[in-house]
Amino acid sequence: MLDQNYLLKLTEEYGTPLYVYDGDEVVRRYQDLYRFITWPKLRIHYAMKANYNPGILRLLEQAGAGIDAVSPGDVIMALQAGFDKERIIYTANNMTDAEVAQVRDLGVLMNIDSISRLSKFGRAYPGSKVCLRFNPDVCDGDNVHTMTGGDLTKFGLLMESVEEVKVIVDKYNLSVVGLHEHTGSGLQRTESVYQSMKNLMAIASRDNFPDLCFLDFGGGFKVPYCANENRVDYAAMGAEITRLFEAYCHDYGSELEMYFEPGKYIVAEAGHLLTTVNTLKENRGRRIAGCDSGFPQLIRPVLYDAYHQIVNLSNPNGNPAAYDVCGNICETGDRFAEQRELPEIREGDVLSIENAGAYCYSMGGVYNLRPMPAEVVICQGRVNSARRRLSTEELINMIIGETTCE
Ligand code: LLP
């Protein structure tokens, strides 16, 4: 945990809004997973969509992680951060032919999730290795938008399409080296993890897929966002995961690799968004604290109704009162929290929005033409890497300067 005074000190140097990440915590979380899941052939592919900060990518690369990539941009950035192409899996959705060619040329294994794409891939690249993504038929996640299994999802091949898949695989002499499933993000029940594994393992027989080297069970490991939320017993969960996989490998007849691809678990709790309150307002009894950040810079509360703890760093012992913590964007819904009990907020106070390491900066945008915040990664009490905020002029140049068509 980064010390609150240290966070405040960083705002003096880098200004606000500012994202701060605890790099040591990120690496610890990655390493934890190897303590929990003791299968000797475990590989963790970090879901970089959660946070593609180059400093964080470098730390995880040095720690030995692989990458779950979802766009050509992800792949190129991961390669630049030093990840070996063998340690990247490409799990994009609704890929174009051009994108498939680009990623294949970079030497990255393709994870295909539709009959249509599998046929096109086979036709274009007969004899290739491929991974196949199946819908695990389990519904779980921290809200409806982050559930990726079951009837309503656009993701994955259906379990009942195995025979159809095998015909295409044979026709183009493809080698299915891996099978994949991802159930959702912020899985609420450990049972869902086991059930999804069982459903995938049920089709992953040697008869169906004789060339398997790995099964990939996706991400979704949940972390607490509210103070009173329990932490999952990951040691117990890891033991059960290992037990299930061991039994499966025994039946399959060889010790396959087991992949997981978490994002949230590794980075969510390591991040803070620091923002300064610049305007206080009393709106007929409702206290409004107006900040120098806004929902394009941290969209989870607006998009998912997600709860993020807020800490008043500069007045931690103030008398508590309820505040609407609002941003600087021209929309009524631009709120980080509604009627949140916080120590008295004064103009100039710095707030820390917690659990801002996953899907916060990475889902950001420049709505209202406000540049995204600077980012700092801290390791062993020091700044390990920093990215400054674009100036407004640089942002405008990015938009009109070099990208206008003739
Ligand atoms: N693998 C696949 C195929 C995925 O689609 C995802 C997340 C992950 C792994 C990593 O899931 P995680 O371990 O981070 O839960 N923006 C949402 C989360 C969307 C996740 C999308 N896919 C949020 O802020 O809660």
Side-chain angles (χ1 to χ4, degrees), residues 62-91:
Q62 283 155 17
I67 286 287
D68 158 33
V70 294
S71 69
D74 268 9
V75 173
I76 292 166
M77 190 133 170
L79 291 170
Q80 279 183 12
F83 289 90
D84 197 274
K85 58 185 188 306
E86 263 87 47
R87 281 160 59 198
I88 305 174
I89 297 188
Y90 192 64
T91 304

Side-chain angles (χ1 to χ4, degrees), residues 47 49-50 68 91 133 142 146 180 182 184-186 218-221 261-265 300 304 358-359 363:
K49 66 190 84 111
D68 158 33
T91 304
R133 174 175 186 172
D142 47 16
T146 60
H180 170 277
H182 171 69
S185 188
F221 296 154
E261 46 190 31
K264 245 174 216 175
Y265 181 81
R300 299 188 77 258
Y304 307 124
Y359 306 105
M363 288 178 77

